[in-house]
Amino acid sequence: MIRDNIIELFSRDLPHVKINSSAEFLEKYGNDTLKLIKGSPLLITFPKTTEEVKQIVDFANKNMIGIVPSGGRTGLSGGAIGFKNEIIVSLEIMNKLIEFNEVESTLEVEAGMITQSLQDMARANNLYFPIDYAAVGSSQIGGNIATNAGGIHVIKYGMTRSWVMGLTVVTGNGDILKLNKGLIKNNAGLDFTNLFIGSEGILGIITQAIIRLTEIPKNQKAFFVGFNSLKNVTEILNVVKKKTRLLAFEFFTQTALEYALEEDTFSYVLEEKHKYYVIFEIEGTNDISYDSELTDDIVSSLFNEELINEGIIGANHADRSLIWKHREHIPISLNKHYPYKNDISVRIKDIPDFIKNLDTLLDSKYNELVVAWFGHIGDGNLHVNIPKPIGLSIQEFKSICDDLSEDIYKLIQKYEGSISAEHGVGLIKKKFLHFSKSPVEIELMKSIKKIFDPKGIMNPNKVI
Amino acid sequence: MIRDNIIELFSRDLPHVKINSSAEFLEKYGNDTLKLIKGSPLLITFPKTTEEVKQIVDFANKNMIGIVPSGGRTGLSGGAIGFKNEIIVSLEIMNKLIEFNEVESTLEVEAGMITQSLQDMARANNLYFPIDYAAVGSSQIGGNIATNAGGIHVIKYGMTRSWVMGLTVVTGNGDILKLNKGLIKNNAGLDFTNLFIGSEGILGIITQAIIRLTEIPKNQKAFFVGFNSLKNVTEILNVVKKKTRLLAFEFFTQTALEYALEEDTFSYVLEEKHKYYVIFEIEGTNDISYDSELTDDIVSSLFNEELINEGIIGANHADRSLIWKHREHIPISLNKHYPYKNDISVRIKDIPDFIKNLDTLLDSKYNELVVAWFGHIGDGNLHVNIPKPIGLSIQEFKSICDDLSEDIYKLIQKYEGSISAEHGVGLIKKKFLHFSKSPVEIELMKSIKKIFDPKGIMNPNKVI
């Protein structure tokens, strides 16, 4: 069998590289959080150094085998799936701190470090890594960078892109590049750092990164409000934005919330149920009396303008945590229902209009599906989730959802929005990329891939 | 003559495009602020629309003529020089506001808008465009983006890159690309926006941009301090950084200051002269009493730790302006002396060590040259300026400075720093690029240029 031959060849050529090809490992490391497609990789490898990653890439080039870089596999677009006979390169063992630099407030780490470990390391040094979302406990920083992860704090802190000061990568051609090297100002030639950020493994493998940290936000307050008219959501956003700077602004529907509540891991904290909800968080100042005046002002404005029916505020850590559970548990619970996920964005100015049209589309043409919406409205990003109805097969369900996606993406195209705001294109959105990118842009991307990966071994069948 | 033939051909093919080929225009639009090399372009063109820019690019491809995109020509690396027989594409007429969007705090503009006009438009809407440096009165936003301009506020606000939400570009191949389109979150494929930012016109021409604005900083205070030991500079930085967030932190030497003072446009505001100076600016809060406590604390710490010999604070606009003149007039005055400029950066953590070694190098090997240093120490960026001694010809002077540059860049290479922190590579630093980039990276850049500009017409002889 070819499969066995390659594994034998790999063990002979690279005996020092840790591998595993058991069914259990192939299943675990060959798939990501997208459950609608099943991977079938050849071999799982666990390099310990950038040099070993290079050796694996060289081996793959020599033998014309595909490579899939693998972080925490929390991706939702199938970008880390070993689709067919690839070598999976797990960065799991490369999870070490290389250097913390106090003067710079930077952390240099290997790509396999768990996002939450990086957050914790920052906190331990009285600093803050602001990229945050439900899966940080298992996602890795390399994966965050390769997918330009977003999450709930983008409205203030930007995407992962904003925090990367340097990268070490192994290109598909087997070249080791050290990009930007921690410099704040560097205009010496074309910027490859940003080209690799969000490239989803099609150009190469990220093995190390220098990450910038920032100050810990102080005296945060989380507000949890409920209301019954969809159009209120952007008005609430505008009212709060005018008064203060937001750390987060998350919207979700009652349908979405019910998934979070179904597992009974926490108790609902508002008194009544509403059709729509927003959780928003604001940063405090050094001046507590100013902060509480501001809080009163925000709450009374929202009630006076009849934008909310009910609301609570959480100021201490425990109260804020409890409020946030209502949002965080939505994707966690939904993932058990084989959801079809759309992760779309439009410009902030287009949000009210877009939401209205999307609502009409879902209501008129897809009202037999349960649709759970939630999203980072503050930065133009909406997640439209459809759990698989129990009676349908995965194939039947995918076909209906492909139709729906096509309809949603046509609307996105009209608004010049993105078919992938933060999840990436991966395996599942490749065929829809043309709704966000022109044919010329897609051709240019293919040409750029060829430069870094002339034999096309890097994450085959993904993105373009 | 070929020259006349091309001009005739251009007028016949594109009669609607405004052109000028008078000696005066060729001189004015064929050169930038780098005075050490003289341009010799063929023709100056003034397109009115993106479509006209495309037509010029198509004409250049058809006739195999180089194109030089031209903004305010305030660049210091010769990136906008029409080196030999190129068509200059001035964006000067394309300077209009397309849209201000209040909900988003964005400005959509044509690339030829003067940077200061953009700053003023932001202020008129109670918002702030933080890219700021001496030449904003004549530089254009398209040039800022093409060179990823930095300036004095990078320490808080980052480079121009951080403020670009969308670009319209005409590639060297004549394709019009609309990149990112104003989206905050967009992970649909490879990021071309950042590839064009800082690309210095070698991939294409930027014709429009969507720019993000931010809040106006409040209650700023500028501190102007003098001291006599070089090593104090990083200690002052660390003391202030621990206490508050900096808006700017600018270092300069007495030698540099003397150039600023020679024109007598303002009066020196400290009492004594010192060997070194820093101007730093901090942002205030809503709480004035907190602010003045902080100010007192900063000043007493700097004196108690014997880091400064003298210092003043400017709180109102007039006082701050006067303080800043001491820094702003350095490059303005120096430019009249045909200066050779180095614009280098290293990581913050390496600054103390690097400065010491640089000082030793200049002192030991080049002590016959007058060296005027200044720089944005807070973000690792130093400008080493050498005015041309009156007795030397430009050629003799360039040759000495090339030796010095080589020595400085060798030091930079040791620290993995950048040979171009914010000025770009342009014409003059191309031969030194290998000190900051590996041979593989330079080859990759050339390949990427070929994709966007297959015939090599875009800004020939620049960068790579």
Side-chain angles (χ1 to χ4, degrees):
Chain A
M1 264 178 70
I2 295 172
R3 190 182 188 98
D4 291 338
N5 285 350
I6 292 288
I7 297 174
E8 203 180 302
L9 208 60
F10 190 98
S11 305
R12 202 194 60 198
D13 284 8
L14 302 172
H16 51 287
V17 176
K18 193 182 156 194
I19 61 170
N20 197 312
S21 60
S22 69
E24 186 200 342
F25 271 63
L26 294 177
E27 163 74 23
K28 180 177 169 190
Y29 290 89
N31 289 291
D32 63 15
T33 309
L34 175 76
K35 291 202 166 65
L36 299 171
I37 296 172
K38 265 269 172 262
S40 171
L42 185 71
L43 174 68
I44 319 299
T45 63
F46 298 92
K48 292 181 293 297
T49 61
T50 299
E51 184 53 37
E52 282 191 13
V53 172
K54 177 194 161 45
Q55 291 164 1
I56 298 169
V57 171
D58 288 346
F59 176 88
N61 271 310
K62 200 169 118 196
N63 297 285
M64 285 300 287
I65 303 169
I67 277 189
V68 178
S70 185
R73 298 175 310 287
T74 58
L76 297 160
S77 301
I81 291 178
F83 191 54
K84 210 175 170 192
N85 291 334
E86 297 94 342
I87 296 175
I88 306 282
V89 180
S90 166
L91 278 296
E92 196 172 272
I93 300 181
M94 293 182 65
N95 63 353
K96 284 174 286 301
L97 170 70
I98 299 165
E99 187 187 56
F100 166 65
N101 193 286
E102 198 190 340
V103 180
E104 294 183 341
S105 304
T106 54
L107 277 172
E108 189 164 358
V109 297
E110 289 183 323
M113 179 175 281
I114 300 289
T115 312
Q116 196 168 349
S117 307
L118 201 153
Q119 289 178 342
D120 293 346
M121 258 178 221
R123 287 237 177 225
N125 291 291
N126 206 24
L127 289 162
Y128 184 61
F129 178 61
I131 302 301
D132 203 11
Y133 50 92
V136 290
S138 43
S139 72
Q140 297 172 7
I141 185 65
N144 295 159
I145 297 167
T147 59
N148 188 25
I152 59 169
H153 291 145
V154 172
I155 193 170
K156 172 161 184 198
Y157 295 99
M159 310 281 279
T160 301
R161 186 181 301 289
S162 311
W163 303 93
V164 178
M165 302 298 294
L167 289 180
T168 303
V169 302
V170 178
T171 69
N173 201 30
D175 294 311
I176 297 172
L177 306 181
K178 286 188 74 178
L179 304 174
N180 202 53
K181 300 166 186 164
L183 299 170
I184 296 175
K185 289 172 111 170
N186 180 17
N187 281 348
L190 300 176
D191 175 15
F192 288 170
T193 315
N194 279 292
L195 196 59
F196 271 85
I197 298 170
S199 64
E200 300 185 53
I202 67 169
L203 305 180
I205 305 180
I206 295 162
T207 62
Q208 293 184 11
I210 304 171
I211 303 293
R212 186 165 70 90
L213 306 171
T214 187
E215 297 151 36
I216 299 173
K218 50 194 164 195
N219 307 326
Q220 295 127 280
K221 285 182 186 167
F223 296 67
F224 182 17
V225 297
F227 50 98
N228 290 314
S229 169
L230 185 56
K231 72 171 185 35
N232 291 12
V233 59
T234 46
E235 292 178 32
I236 295 169
L237 175 63
N238 290 338
V239 165
V240 184
K241 252 169 94 173
K242 271 193 192 136
K243 295 189 190 293
T244 188
R245 187 180 283 193
L246 283 159
L247 290 171
F249 190 92
E250 296 290 312
F251 162 77
F252 45 97
T253 62
Q254 171 61 21
T255 315
L257 178 63
E258 267 163 24
Y259 284 94
L261 295 173
E262 77 182 5
E263 297 192 15
D264 223 11
T265 48
F266 65 96
S267 298
Y268 181 65
V269 295
L270 294 182
E271 294 196 354
E272 313 257 316
K273 292 283 170 81
H274 310 274
K275 276 176 87 172
Y276 307 104
Y277 303 91
V278 162
I279 295 176
F280 62 90
E281 194 157 297
I282 64 170
E283 190 173 357
T285 66
N286 291 307
D287 183 349
I288 307 292
S289 68
Y290 172 81
D291 286 358
S292 63
E293 246 175 68
L294 178 68
T295 305
D296 291 348
D297 182 28
I298 290 171
V299 172
S300 60
S301 296
L302 293 177
F303 276 115
N304 290 347
E305 296 185 32
E306 296 183 5
L307 294 174
I308 59 171
N309 299 342
E310 193 188 350
I312 61 158
I313 300 171
N316 63 43
H317 184 75
D319 288 348
R320 282 191 288 120
S321 275
L322 179 57
I323 286 176
W324 274 109
K325 281 191 174 145
H326 296 73
R327 167 65 182 82
E328 283 162 2
H329 278 261
I330 296 172
I332 296 172
S333 306
L334 266 169
N335 281 347
K336 291 165 191 155
H337 296 267
Y338 295 84
Y340 195 91
K341 287 170 169 283
N342 283 108
D343 159 45
I344 49 184
S345 69
V346 294
R347 282 181 72 161
I348 304 295
K349 69 182 174 94
D350 295 326
I351 276 273
D353 220 39
F354 176 77
I355 287 188
K356 206 170 66 191
N357 283 322
L358 180 63
D359 196 38
T360 308
L361 169 71
L362 295 172
D363 237 28
S364 62
K365 207 169 153 188
Y366 296 93
N367 68 354
E368 83 282 8
L369 291 175
V370 175
V371 182
W373 297 30
F374 55 96
H376 321 289
I377 291 286
D379 43 45
N381 180 196
L382 255 187
H383 297 295
V384 182
N385 281 248
I386 303 145
K388 188 177 80 60
I390 290 168
L392 284 183
S393 76
I394 286 189
Q395 278 318 313
E396 287 168 328
F397 177 56
K398 262 181 66 184
S399 140
I400 296 171
C401 290
D402 275 356
D403 289 347
L404 169 59
S405 289
E406 189 110 11
D407 280 334
I408 291 180
Y409 294 151
K410 275 181 191 156
L411 197 59
I412 279 289
Q413 192 173 31
K414 218 182 102 189
Y415 286 94
E416 298 197 322
S418 179
I419 63 144
S420 178
E422 58 175 0
H423 293 171
V425 179
L427 209 48
I428 204 163
K429 285 187 249 167
K430 182 176 159 176
K431 64 180 167 194
F432 301 117
L433 187 58
H434 65 97
F435 286 106
S436 275
K437 299 281 174 185
S438 69
V440 176
E441 281 175 283
I442 293 173
E443 281 314 305
L444 287 167
M445 281 188 219
K446 286 181 181 166
S447 302
I448 286 180
K449 176 169 169 62
K450 264 198 195 116
I451 291 173
F452 289 93
D453 176 30
K455 292 198 177 167
I457 58 158
M458 284 309 307
N459 221 1
N461 305 305
K462 311 283 169 63
V463 187
I464 43 172
Chain B
M1 263 178 69
I2 294 172
R3 190 180 186 100
D4 291 339
N5 285 349
I6 292 288
I7 296 173
E8 201 179 302
L9 207 60
F10 190 99
S11 305
R12 200 194 61 198
D13 284 9
L14 302 171
H16 51 287
V17 176
K18 192 182 155 194
I19 61 171
N20 197 312
S21 59
S22 69
E24 184 200 343
F25 271 63
L26 293 177
E27 163 74 23
K28 179 177 170 192
Y29 290 89
N31 290 292
D32 62 16
T33 309
L34 174 75
K35 291 201 166 68
L36 300 172
I37 297 173
K38 265 271 172 258
S40 170
L42 185 72
L43 173 69
I44 319 297
T45 64
F46 298 92
K48 290 181 293 297
T49 61
T50 299
E51 184 54 35
E52 283 190 13
V53 173
K54 177 193 161 44
Q55 291 164 2
I56 298 169
V57 171
D58 288 345
F59 176 89
N61 271 310
K62 201 171 116 195
N63 297 286
M64 284 301 286
I65 302 169
I67 278 189
V68 178
S70 186
R73 297 175 309 287
T74 58
L76 298 161
S77 302
I81 292 178
F83 191 55
K84 208 175 172 193
N85 291 333
E86 297 93 342
I87 297 176
I88 307 281
V89 181
S90 166
L91 279 298
E92 194 172 275
I93 300 181
M94 293 181 66
N95 64 353
K96 284 174 285 301
L97 171 70
I98 299 166
E99 187 188 57
F100 166 65
N101 192 286
E102 197 191 341
V103 180
E104 293 183 342
S105 303
T106 55
L107 276 172
E108 188 163 359
V109 297
E110 290 182 323
M113 178 173 283
I114 300 288
T115 312
Q116 195 168 352
S117 307
L118 201 152
Q119 289 177 343
D120 292 345
M121 257 178 220
R123 286 238 177 224
N125 290 291
N126 206 24
L127 288 163
Y128 185 62
F129 178 60
I131 302 300
D132 203 10
Y133 51 93
V136 291
S138 44
S139 72
Q140 297 173 8
I141 184 66
N144 295 159
I145 297 169
T147 58
N148 188 27
I152 59 168
H153 291 146
V154 173
I155 193 170
K156 173 162 182 195
Y157 295 100
M159 310 279 280
T160 301
R161 187 181 299 290
S162 312
W163 303 94
V164 178
M165 301 298 294
L167 289 179
T168 303
V169 301
V170 179
T171 69
N173 200 32
D175 294 311
I176 297 173
L177 306 182
K178 288 189 71 179
L179 304 174
N180 202 53
K181 299 166 186 162
L183 300 171
I184 295 175
K185 289 172 114 170
N186 180 18
N187 280 347
L190 299 177
D191 175 14
F192 288 170
T193 315
N194 279 293
L195 196 59
F196 272 85
I197 298 170
S199 64
E200 300 185 55
I202 67 168
L203 306 179
I205 304 180
I206 295 162
T207 61
Q208 293 184 12
I210 304 171
I211 302 293
R212 186 165 72 89
L213 306 171
T214 188
E215 297 151 33
I216 299 173
K218 49 192 164 194
N219 308 325
Q220 293 129 279
K221 285 183 185 165
F223 296 67
F224 182 17
V225 298
F227 49 98
N228 290 315
S229 169
L230 184 56
K231 71 171 186 35
N232 290 13
V233 59
T234 45
E235 292 178 32
I236 296 169
L237 175 63
N238 290 338
V239 164
V240 183
K241 252 170 96 173
K242 272 194 192 137
K243 296 189 190 293
T244 188
R245 188 180 283 194
L246 283 159
L247 289 171
F249 189 92
E250 297 289 312
F251 162 78
F252 45 97
T253 61
Q254 170 60 21
T255 315
L257 177 62
E258 266 164 24
Y259 285 93
L261 296 173
E262 76 181 7
E263 297 193 16
D264 222 12
T265 48
F266 65 97
S267 299
Y268 181 64
V269 294
L270 294 182
E271 296 196 353
E272 314 258 316
K273 292 283 170 81
H274 310 272
K275 277 176 87 174
Y276 307 104
Y277 302 90
V278 162
I279 294 176
F280 62 90
E281 194 158 298
I282 64 170
E283 190 172 355
T285 66
N286 291 306
D287 182 348
I288 306 292
S289 68
Y290 171 81
D291 287 358
S292 63
E293 246 174 71
L294 178 68
T295 306
D296 291 347
D297 182 28
I298 290 171
V299 172
S300 59
S301 296
L302 293 177
F303 276 114
N304 291 346
E305 298 187 29
E306 297 183 4
L307 295 173
I308 60 172
N309 300 342
E310 192 187 351
I312 62 159
I313 300 170
N316 64 42
H317 183 74
D319 289 347
R320 282 190 288 121
S321 275
L322 179 57
I323 285 177
W324 274 109
K325 279 189 177 148
H326 296 71
R327 166 64 181 84
E328 283 162 2
H329 278 260
I330 296 172
I332 297 170
S333 307
L334 266 170
N335 282 346
K336 291 163 192 157
H337 296 268
Y338 295 85
Y340 195 92
K341 286 169 169 285
N342 283 106
D343 159 45
I344 50 185
S345 69
V346 293
R347 284 180 72 161
I348 304 297
K349 69 181 174 96
D350 295 326
I351 276 276
D353 220 40
F354 176 77
I355 287 187
K356 205 171 66 191
N357 283 321
L358 181 63
D359 196 38
T360 308
L361 169 71
L362 295 171
D363 238 29
S364 62
K365 208 169 152 187
Y366 297 94
N367 67 355
E368 82 282 11
L369 292 174
V370 174
V371 182
W373 299 28
F374 55 96
H376 322 288
I377 291 286
D379 43 46
N381 180 195
L382 256 186
H383 297 295
V384 182
N385 281 247
I386 304 147
K388 190 176 78 57
I390 291 168
L392 284 183
S393 76
I394 286 189
Q395 279 317 314
E396 287 168 327
F397 177 57
K398 261 182 67 184
S399 139
I400 296 172
C401 290
D402 275 357
D403 289 345
L404 169 60
S405 289
E406 190 111 11
D407 280 334
I408 292 180
Y409 294 152
K410 275 180 193 157
L411 198 60
I412 279 290
Q413 192 173 32
K414 218 182 101 189
Y415 286 94
E416 298 197 322
S418 179
I419 63 143
S420 177
E422 59 175 0
H423 293 171
V425 178
L427 209 47
I428 203 163
K429 285 188 247 166
K430 183 177 158 176
K431 64 179 167 195
F432 302 117
L433 188 57
H434 65 96
F435 287 106
S436 275
K437 298 282 173 182
S438 68
V440 175
E441 282 175 281
I442 293 172
E443 281 314 305
L444 288 167
M445 281 186 217
K446 287 181 180 166
S447 302
I448 286 179
K449 176 167 168 65
K450 263 196 198 120
I451 291 173
F452 289 93
D453 177 31
K455 293 197 177 167
I457 58 159
M458 283 308 307
N459 220 3
N461 305 306
K462 312 284 169 66
V463 187
I464 43 171

